[in-house]
Amino acid sequence: MDLYDAINRRRDTRAEFTGEPVDEAVLRRVFGAAHAAPSVGMSQPWDFVLVRDPSTLDRFAAHVAQERDVFAASLSGERAETFSRIKIEGIRESGLGVVVSYDAGRGGPAVLGRHAIADAGLYSVCLAIQNLWLAATAEGLGVGWVSFYREEFLADLVDLPEGARPVAWLCLGSVANLPEVPDLERFGWRHRSPLDSVLHQERYRTGD
Ligand SMILES: Cc1cc2nc3c(=O)[nH]c(=O)nc-3n(C[C@H](O)[C@H](O)[C@H](O)COP(=O)(O)O)c2cc1C
């Protein structure tokens, strides 16, 4: 699969997981791709906790269900109705959760390139996640990013050390297929905008 194919075929995966175990060599390649990401000051501030224990998956899924309810309670009318039909995670079905965390202390105290922009560390972690996501796609695997959680809950669940911040729970696993259309489009929640709506020349604002 070439890079543009992987970019275009990548999909957030929820209902497609089969639970089929993933070959360890494939997983090593996927995490190798994540670990090859660029990072501010070469800080490589990411860690990956692989979670397979069904009781931990259950505890996280129960917490996410609660947070889903919190969000649902903020909606009304058509939004509430549309959201009620959208699946937001495949935690148990994927059989493997990957907690990606950020350690702001890594590579410090003087992180080259981060003195003015503290968030550059977080950006680096997100690039590792994107590398992981694309590599998983190229391997025919699915990834689903879950963000319906409280950071303290997840840090405690997988025993992150002091100073490490959870950035994502990724459901990772074998899939029956990767859908062509994102779920949020399929269910009418929101659509991908046209490229020209986000491309600007010279200045963001034009006209006045
Ligand atoms: C930071 C981040 C958090 C996300 N959180 C969730 C989530 O909690 N549940 C979910 O179903 N999808 C989640 N997604 C997936 C998005 O809904 C998805 O990327 C978007 O709808 C576009 O679809 P696609 O990834 O299949 O192209 C998240 C994606 C990102 C980048």
Side-chain angles (χ1 to χ4, degrees):
M1 194 185 294
D2 86 8
L3 180 61
Y4 285 96
D5 281 342
I7 288 170
N8 290 317
R9 289 187 56 190
R10 183 209 56 77
R11 193 86 300 125
D12 189 82
T13 314
R14 298 145 184 161
E16 294 77 13
F17 291 111
T18 61
E20 195 65 20
V22 180
D23 190 77
E24 281 301 317
V26 174
L27 279 182
R28 291 287 304 180
R29 287 200 293 272
V30 169
F31 285 103
H35 195 53
S39 60
V40 64
M42 194 66 167
S43 54
Q44 301 161 90
W46 45 71
D47 285 277
F48 308 96
V49 182
L50 277 61
V51 181
R52 295 185 173 93
D53 182 337
S55 68
T56 313
L57 298 178
D58 280 349
R59 281 182 63 202
F60 185 63
H63 173 71
V64 167
Q66 273 176 9
E67 290 301 325
R68 180 194 172 101
D69 290 346
V70 170
F71 181 64
S74 73
L75 305 173
S76 60
E78 177 278 324
R79 292 283 82 182
E81 160 61 23
T82 303
F83 180 65
S84 71
R85 289 184 278 114
I86 297 176
K87 183 171 168 62
I88 54 143
E89 49 85 11
I91 297 162
R92 294 187 184 89
E93 300 92 318
S94 68
L96 173 60
V98 180
V99 178
V100 187
S101 62
Y102 168 50
D103 178 357
R106 182 87 43 86
V111 177
L112 187 156
R114 208 185 63 186
H115 76 284
I117 304 172
D119 284 347
L122 271 180
Y123 305 161
S124 307
V125 177
C126 293
L127 291 171
I129 294 172
Q130 181 71 341
N131 268 16
L132 182 158
W133 209 335
L134 292 176
T137 306
E139 297 284 0
L141 301 174
V143 173
W145 187 323
V146 183
S147 56
F148 282 72
Y149 61 80
R150 300 292 156 166
E151 292 186 8
E152 320 78 70
F153 178 91
L154 185 50
D156 187 51
L157 185 70
V158 299
D159 197 22
L160 294 186
E162 195 67 33
R165 181 176 170 192
V167 177
W169 175 291
L170 304 175
C171 305
L172 172 62
S174 307
V175 281
N177 59 76
L178 289 176
E180 281 194 15
V181 180
D183 270 14
L184 296 199
E185 290 194 345
R186 201 155 59 85
F187 287 99
W189 181 263
R190 207 171 149 75
H191 287 79
R192 198 158 245 125
S193 56
L195 172 61
D196 285 331
S197 71
V198 296
L199 267 184
H200 309 266
Q201 310 293 335
E202 312 302 344
R203 293 169 67 85
Y204 190 105
R205 288 185 290 188
T206 52
D208 33 70

